[in-house]
Amino acid sequence: SIDDQRGKFVSCSQDQTAMPWEWLVGTNSVECVSVCKGHERGLDCVDVSPDKTKFATGSWDTMLKIWSAGTNIFHIMQK
């Protein structure tokens, strides 16, 4: 998501983590909000829910994990 001041996005990696980020538009800088761990193999995909309150990660461990955010604390909702 993005507005005039900041944007938000999620990256995923082969190091088995997903990382939510904030992009500060005015300074064109990014800040990692959290490091989400829980997969046993590298992540291959990520998608964000339409209401932007959850995101899902898919991994080579054949698991889909759904994450929920509350005050920048991320936890697995389902395995």
Side-chain angles (χ1 to χ4, degrees), residues 42-59:
L43 278 64
D44 194 47
C45 57
V46 63
D47 198 9
V48 179
S49 67
D51 65 2
K52 299 174 181 68
T53 62
K54 298 178 275 302
F55 65 93
T57 53
S59 167

Side-chain angles (χ1 to χ4, degrees), residues 1-78:
S1 70
I2 190 168
D3 61 29
D4 291 340
Q5 301 300 315
R6 63 186 52 190
K8 295 182 180 184
F9 63 94
V10 180
S11 66
C12 63
S13 174
Q14 292 299 310
D15 71 358
Q16 305 170 8
T17 63
M19 299 170 67
W21 297 83
E22 278 194 355
W23 170 40
L24 304 175
V25 176
T27 59
N28 195 28
S29 60
V30 293
E31 181 179 326
C32 179
V33 175
S34 183
V35 177
C36 303
K37 299 178 181 180
H39 284 284
E40 295 179 14
R41 294 189 65 194
L43 278 64
D44 194 47
C45 57
V46 63
D47 198 9
V48 179
S49 67
D51 65 2
K52 299 174 181 68
T53 62
K54 298 178 275 302
F55 65 93
T57 53
S59 167
W60 285 99
D61 62 8
T62 70
M63 297 296 293
L64 173 71
K65 296 187 186 256
I66 300 172
W67 304 79
S68 175
T71 62
N72 293 336
I73 306 290
F74 293 83
H75 63 277
I76 299 171
M77 289 181 56
Q78 293 179 323

